Amino acid sequence: LVAQMGLVTTLVSILAPVLGEAGAGMAMGAATACAVIGRTVVGVALPPDLDRRLAGGANFLLQATGCAVLAVAGEAPAALLLGTLVFGLGIGNLLSLPPLIAQAEWPPEQVSAVLALLTAVNQGFYAFGPAIFGAALQGWGAAAPPLLAAGLQLVAAAVLLAGRRPRPA
């Protein structure tokens, strides 16, 4: 989530030089709409018996793809918008999938403690995202935050998928 929070906080600064302030604001609004769409689609389409870690991994890969598009977009408005929208599709799922994973993988009496710990850890990472990504933007330019986010999302997908347990037959 540090990748998501960090990129969201720097995205207007990346978009505004090309799209203008109003265009960057509209793109962020569209990313928010995509977050609602992505979360709704996953909520409706996710089969009850599907391993939630697969859905989470796919979500990280989707966001990494959007970040990669943003990183190579340069000053191409259409590419910046496309990257923002693809990234946006995964925003809401990073809030809804972790509790679903916890419910599937821990005994019911432990789920609330697992979610409290997960929330506390995420809050700690949230706090550093804007500073890290702002420094990357300032130090290395507009491609740095999306590249950093893509890398972190790929690592997160790998960790999430590596933790999969064999499903009972």
Side-chain angles (χ1 to χ4, degrees):
L1 287 172
V2 68
Q4 184 168 284
M5 185 61 67
L7 186 58
V8 165
T9 59
T10 57
L11 203 47
V12 169
S13 297
I14 294 167
L15 299 172
V18 177
L19 303 179
E21 289 179 16
M26 295 288 283
M28 293 303 294
T32 302
C34 285
V36 172
I37 292 166
R39 192 171 187 177
T40 302
V41 167
V42 169
V44 170
L46 190 66
D49 61 338
L50 181 74
D51 183 343
R52 270 57 174 141
R53 286 179 178 262
L54 291 176
N59 193 74
F60 281 127
L61 294 176
L62 175 71
Q63 285 201 298
T65 300
C67 291
V69 171
L70 284 166
V72 300
E75 295 186 13
L80 287 169
L81 187 56
L82 176 65
T84 300
L85 298 179
V86 172
F87 171 76
L89 285 170
I91 291 174
N93 291 320
L94 288 182
L95 298 175
S96 58
L97 285 172
L100 293 175
I101 293 169
Q103 288 173 336
E105 296 188 7
W106 276 271
E109 64 275 5
Q110 293 179 357
V111 170
S112 60
V114 168
L115 291 178
L117 180 60
L118 176 66
T119 300
V121 169
N122 283 340
Q123 295 274 327
F125 282 113
Y126 287 159
F128 295 104
I132 293 167
F133 279 73
L137 175 64
Q138 199 168 32
W140 296 291
L147 284 174
L148 178 58
L152 290 170
Q153 288 160 334
L154 291 174
V155 169
V159 168
L160 189 62
L161 295 174
R164 292 182 68 220
R165 300 178 193 156
R167 299 198 75 147

